[in-house]
Amino acid sequence: MDKDQIREVIAKRVAKELKNGDVVNLGIGLPTLVPNYLPKNIELVLQSENGLLGVGPTPEAGKEEAHLVNAGGGYISAQPGASSFSSAQSFAIIRGGHVDATILGAMQVDENGDLANWMIPGKLTPGMGGAMDLLVGAKHVIVAMEHTAKGAHKILKKCTLPLTAKGQVNLIVTEMGVMEITPQGIVLKEIHPDFSIEEVQAATEPKLIISQQLKNIPI
């Protein structure tokens, strides 16, 4: 699979985790593709932590509104009935447990559900942003990421980069499979038909628990 195919597989599968009426926060990058693959009978309320509830689709080139951007600075639109407010109020929504799901990218995830997604030591970074609050405030945390980085493990026994939050990840979706974080370890629930269990395990540092109901990712 090329880069675009990988991103499509991940975004399509993550979209199946969302339910009608959910309030969902999308991280920058790959997670922003998820709404493109929602079933037609699913309607969501998308939240941007810089102060908008009711985010709409990405506007066409030349039709951007300068005052409508997401937390990453990308142009967005607002759905009819959307509301805007201060970032303080927006974080009150997040910290109050009113976000049903957040979908974030990651540099590393480990078998305890720890997540590192904001910095590499020695490299300049603009800061953690709202990721820390989203991880502990959202009811369900989904990591959407490529399984490896230039062949190196991203799913680890223990994260080695500075953590964004500890023990908050519920589900990992990659181009290779769908994995649930449990007290017993990481359970491989679904696998992409292009890969074998052995290939997924080789690309994953901790020992995977193979679900007895293991099935293929729908593609």
Side-chain angles (χ1 to χ4, degrees):
M1 287 184 279
D2 63 25
K3 192 89 168 177
D4 288 340
Q5 290 172 320
I6 287 171
R7 290 164 64 86
E8 181 179 346
V9 165
I10 297 169
K12 276 185 175 179
R13 180 56 188 83
V14 171
K16 296 181 182 298
E17 290 294 312
L18 304 179
K19 300 181 290 296
N20 202 46
D22 277 352
V23 175
V24 180
N25 185 286
L26 303 177
I28 61 175
L30 196 160
T32 63
L33 301 178
V34 172
N36 297 339
Y37 301 104
L38 288 172
K40 292 184 178 179
N41 62 330
I42 297 294
E43 292 187 10
L44 303 176
V45 179
L46 297 180
Q47 187 247 10
S48 184
E49 64 260 35
N50 56 328
L52 184 66
L53 198 60
V55 176
T58 302
E60 297 177 20
K63 295 185 178 180
E64 300 91 347
E65 166 56 57
H67 299 292
L68 283 177
V69 294
N70 61 25
Y75 287 113
I76 55 176
S77 64
Q79 297 279 32
S83 57
S84 61
F85 30 77
S86 71
S87 60
Q89 290 173 300
S90 189
F91 276 91
I93 292 171
I94 295 167
R95 294 166 182 165
H98 303 293
V99 174
D100 295 295
T102 186
I103 303 164
L104 300 170
M107 297 173 186
Q108 295 177 344
V109 186
D110 68 28
E111 61 186 350
N112 299 311
D114 299 351
L115 174 72
N117 78 339
W118 75 284
M119 75 168 294
I120 297 174
K123 294 191 176 182
L124 292 175
T125 176
M128 190 180 290
M132 177 176 66
D133 298 270
L134 285 162
L135 282 163
V136 299
K139 296 173 186 174
H140 195 64
V141 175
I142 302 170
V143 168
M145 68 176 191
E146 293 185 37
H147 204 100
T148 59
K150 298 180 180 179
H153 291 143
K154 294 180 67 175
I155 303 173
L156 306 174
K157 293 180 180 179
K158 191 70 177 174
C159 290
T160 58
L161 294 174
L163 294 182
T164 313
K166 291 177 64 68
Q168 297 299 321
V169 175
N170 301 114
L171 197 72
I172 306 169
V173 180
T174 76
E175 76 278 14
M176 290 184 128
V178 178
M179 289 141 282
E180 182 180 5
I181 305 291
T182 75
Q184 293 73 39
I186 301 177
V187 178
L188 180 64
K189 299 174 63 177
E190 297 180 18
I191 188 169
H192 192 285
D194 285 358
F195 300 98
S196 66
I197 292 174
E198 292 74 21
E199 287 173 319
V200 178
Q201 181 61 76
T204 309
E205 186 179 58
K207 179 69 174 177
L208 293 169
I209 301 168
I210 310 304
S211 172
Q212 293 183 351
Q213 288 80 44
L214 181 67
K215 58 185 180 180
N216 285 341
I217 291 178
I219 56 175

